Amino acid sequence: MAAPLGAVVSKVHMLSTSDHASVVSLNLFVALLCACIVIGHLLEENRWMNESITALLIGLCTGVVILLTTGMKSSHLLVFSEDLFFIYLLPPIIFNAGFQVKKKRFFQNFITIMLFGAIGTLISCAIITLGVSQIFKKLDVGSLDIGDYLAIGAIFAATDSVCTLQILNQDETPLLYSLVFGEGVVNDATSVVLFNAIQSFDISNINHRIALQFVGSFSYLFISSTMLGVLAGLLSAYIIKKLYFGRHSTDREVALMMLMAYLSYMLAELFYLSGILTVFFCGIVMSHYTWHNVTESSRVTTKHAFATLSFVAEIFIFVYVGMDALDIEKWRFVSDSPGTSVAVSSVFLVLVLAGRAAFVFPLSFISNLMKKTQNEKISFREQVIIWWAGLMRGAVSMALAYNKFTSSGHTHLRGNALMITSTITVVLFSTMVFGLMTKPLIRLLLPHQKQATSSVSSDQMSSSIFYGPRSPKSATLPLLGPPQVSDGELDNLHVIQSRGLRALLTTPVHTVHYYWRWFDDSFMRPVFGGRGFVPFAPGSPTDRSLHGGAR
């Protein structure tokens, strides 16, 4: 009897010790996040450094300390988990991007953004895949098949334009900012959809039928994920408009918006769709309809709550990436062949540079052909900045690499370890080296930009490619807000109403905008609410002083 009792006590003691270690690790990690926020605030005036680079450096320094204190056994406080990233950290980041984005600019440049973000990502993935499939056969990198090469292409096609977005001023360079931001979000979504499509197909014996199935699967994932996000956003708007929770509790409004957004992401994952696309478009629809149906206090609360959750998740990711860069377990596998590791990392960097250039300049040329005015066209200097903005690799590349080449954050194959360590090297090098060179490059190419960018408050800046503009004004813009046009252009808009197909062919952007506004005002807003909607319930959340009451 004593023996079993002693075993139970010993087991309980082991569990309590393990729990205590976890609590200590979490405390240290939270302290690191606080340090990142404080140091980031102190460096706000000098935008050579940004939150991402600061978090990476703090993670690296912490990893060194942990390595020394554990006798070179480990460099991180927490074990990386793809579920932690994709289920808990990524949703608030992507949702906030859709919720805070300036929708007018985004949809005015929608065709160009889709060219860069979708078509460009596919071109970059193809070039990286072809490059590694040819070069890696000459290097000793382990046994990789065509599926691995395609996955590598998708991994390194995912961009992170954090440094460029922090320096660009959306008021001084609205076209450039809109293109860099929009492309970054669509690029990440396309990369993840492409990666999932590759994972779901056996392409070791590829033929025309499998290729067509792959294209069909990719298109299905893209369209279905988008529609699910739109439907989730509309459902939240309809429920809040009909029930009007603000009569009793604003907390219920805020909670319902958060949970509906998260539910849309989890539903996408449940049905094997792209949660990134779903939650991004859910955020756009919520900001256009749902946000205007809640009380004023709920508007302020949701806006800052979503931005805060996104900010903390971003810092969390980069701190961990910095610590995991020194994970001794992975580096042991490649320690016997450092030359191969350097060669693989160099190949990745060169292919990233080439793959980016292969689509930015040709697609910019095509985009300029569709623009009528010189102000709408992308200049060569702006094309260089767009090319540079997509050279950084970040959290999405890391997460996809871990998903493909590790199991629960660990790897036991030399080839897989080589891919992980090379990905870490590319992320660190591109973020820190390219990131630090971003500000002087933009000042060189865009000398008209004034020092005002450094005086803009952090609330008006983007701390990541995932962040949209944070000013309160951005969340009140309509989904396709009216462009700022002159009197002559207003006359053209009236002509559009009577020219039908001819107008659509000559001025497609204005025509689509006009018909969308007509459809939105006539059918969508009476059902789902939105800006200008006045509920019948007393104590309407709509700001009558701004919107003039009922329409």
Side-chain angles (χ1 to χ4, degrees):
M1 184 71 182
L5 182 60
V8 171
V9 172
S10 176
K11 188 174 182 179
V12 171
H13 177 71
M14 292 174 61
L15 287 174
S16 62
T17 304
S18 176
D19 292 341
H20 179 73
S22 300
V23 171
V24 171
S25 298
L26 287 174
N27 272 278
L28 291 175
F29 208 95
V30 172
L32 289 177
L33 297 182
C34 294
C36 288
I37 294 174
V38 173
I39 296 175
H41 170 73
L42 296 176
L43 296 175
E44 186 70 26
E45 296 300 324
N46 181 5
R47 298 311 297 179
W48 287 83
M49 297 289 289
N50 57 70
E51 286 85 355
S52 299
I53 296 178
T54 301
L56 278 173
L57 290 175
I58 290 177
L60 282 170
C61 295
T62 306
V64 171
V65 174
I66 297 174
L67 272 178
L68 295 176
T69 56
T70 58
M72 305 299 289
K73 293 181 179 179
S74 176
S75 67
H76 43 65
L77 298 169
L78 305 173
V79 177
F80 184 87
S81 169
E82 300 89 49
D83 291 339
L84 173 67
F85 177 81
F86 283 105
I87 295 179
Y88 301 109
L89 297 178
L90 194 57
I93 295 173
I94 301 299
F95 176 79
N96 187 63
F99 193 78
Q100 308 278 11
V101 66
K102 278 192 173 180
K103 293 167 283 295
K104 181 179 73 173
R105 297 288 183 191
F106 181 84
F107 283 96
Q108 277 181 334
N109 301 299
F110 187 74
I111 295 177
T112 306
I113 287 172
M114 293 304 295
L115 278 176
F116 287 156
I119 306 300
T121 302
L122 295 176
I123 294 174
S124 179
C125 176
I127 290 177
I128 295 172
T129 299
L130 290 174
V132 296
S133 63
Q134 297 300 316
I135 298 174
F136 282 4
K137 292 178 180 177
K138 303 176 183 179
L139 299 175
D140 182 21
V141 296
S143 58
L144 299 176
D145 56 25
I146 183 62
D148 295 325
Y149 293 137
L150 285 169
I152 290 172
I155 289 169
F156 286 96
T159 66
D160 187 358
S161 309
V162 49
C163 299
T164 310
L165 278 178
Q166 286 190 328
I167 296 169
L168 286 176
N169 189 314
Q170 58 183 321
D171 296 320
E172 294 181 5
T173 55
L175 173 63
L176 188 58
Y177 188 96
S178 174
L179 292 178
V180 172
F181 171 79
E183 185 225 337
V185 176
V186 177
N187 165 274
D188 286 331
T190 305
S191 299
V192 175
V193 171
L194 184 61
F195 181 84
N196 291 336
I198 292 170
Q199 295 290 86
S200 62
F201 272 85
D202 181 15
I203 47 185
S204 56
N205 298 316
I206 192 168
N207 53 44
H208 295 295
R209 184 177 61 83
I210 293 179
L212 288 175
Q213 289 179 346
F214 179 80
V215 173
S217 175
F218 178 82
S219 303
Y220 166 76
L221 283 173
F222 213 96
I223 296 173
S224 300
S225 302
T226 300
M227 293 307 300
L228 179 59
V230 171
L231 291 175
L234 291 177
L235 180 61
S236 69
Y238 183 79
I239 292 175
I240 289 181
K241 171 179 174 288
K242 285 297 183 183
L243 300 182
Y244 187 33
F245 293 92
R247 285 177 297 180
H248 306 295
S249 171
T250 58
D251 296 339
R252 292 191 179 101
E253 291 180 321
V254 176
L256 186 63
M257 288 184 68
M258 288 184 171
L259 293 175
M260 287 291 290
Y262 190 68
L263 179 63
S264 70
Y265 183 90
M266 296 308 298
L267 283 175
E269 296 297 315
L270 177 65
F271 294 113
Y272 302 101
L273 301 176
S274 170
I276 288 182
L277 272 177
T278 297
V279 79
F280 175 69
F281 279 96
C282 179
I284 289 180
V285 174
M286 276 194 176
S287 68
H288 183 58
Y289 296 110
T290 313
W291 191 79
H292 296 279
N293 296 341
V294 300
T295 59
E296 190 65 31
S297 59
S298 294
R299 295 181 192 178
V300 176
T301 302
T302 52
K303 183 170 180 58
H304 291 286
F306 294 145
T308 301
L309 289 173
S310 177
F311 176 72
V312 173
E314 274 287 327
I315 295 179
F316 187 102
I317 292 170
F318 280 103
V319 168
Y320 186 87
V321 168
M323 287 192 296
D324 201 60
L326 300 174
D327 186 9
I328 201 67
E329 177 192 46
K330 301 177 182 64
W331 291 103
R332 281 200 187 103
F333 284 94
V334 298
S335 59
D336 58 337
S337 54
T340 302
S341 179
V342 173
V344 170
S345 301
S346 302
V347 167
F348 283 150
L349 282 171
V350 171
L351 290 175
V352 165
L353 292 167
R356 183 86 184 154
F359 77 83
V360 168
F361 299 105
L363 293 183
S364 295
F365 175 77
I366 295 174
S367 175
N368 287 340
L369 293 178
M370 298 185 291
K371 304 294 177 62
K372 291 193 172 184
T373 65
Q374 192 65 32
N375 290 336
E376 294 178 335
K377 294 184 178 181
I378 310 171
S379 67
F380 179 74
R381 292 187 174 188
E382 290 175 330
Q383 293 176 33
V384 172
I385 294 176
I386 293 172
W387 168 73
W388 185 269
L391 295 180
M392 277 74 81
R393 294 298 178 266
V396 174
S397 294
M398 285 288 298
L400 294 180
Y402 271 88
N403 183 278
K404 176 65 179 177
F405 297 109
T406 69
S407 176
S408 299
H410 300 283
T411 182
H412 303 288
L413 298 176
R414 179 180 175 276
N416 290 353
L418 191 59
M419 294 300 105
I420 293 295
T421 54
S422 298
T423 303
I424 292 172
T425 302
V426 171
V427 169
L428 290 177
F429 183 88
S430 62
T431 301
M432 299 181 69
V433 177
F434 293 159
L436 288 173
M437 294 171 61
T438 298
K439 187 169 186 176
L441 177 68
I442 292 179
R443 284 184 169 178
L444 176 66
L445 296 178
L446 300 176
H448 63 278
Q449 269 201 306
K450 300 183 178 179
Q451 300 296 328
T453 53
S454 63
S455 63
V456 179
S457 68
S458 61
D459 280 346
Q460 296 173 323
M461 284 184 152
S462 160
S463 68
S464 160
I465 178 60
F466 297 119
Y467 284 0
R470 294 188 191 172
S471 65
K473 183 180 179 180
S474 66
T476 64
L477 290 172
L479 186 60
L480 281 175
Q484 297 177 358
V485 294
S486 62
D487 293 337
E489 289 174 317
L490 283 174
D491 293 335
N492 292 334
L493 288 178
H494 291 296
V495 173
I496 288 173
Q497 302 179 26
S498 59
R499 290 189 178 178
L501 181 61
R502 181 182 175 186
L504 180 62
L505 296 175
T506 56
T507 55
V509 174
H510 293 304
T511 306
V512 172
H513 166 257
Y514 167 76
Y515 283 116
W516 160 253
R517 289 302 303 271
W518 171 80
F519 177 77
D520 191 31
D521 292 340
S522 302
F523 300 99
M524 299 298 289
R525 289 185 178 177
V527 177
F528 301 105
R531 194 178 69 160
F533 168 73
V534 180
F536 292 107
S540 166
T542 309
D543 190 346
R544 292 179 175 82
S545 63
L546 287 177
H547 308 308
R551 304 184 66 176

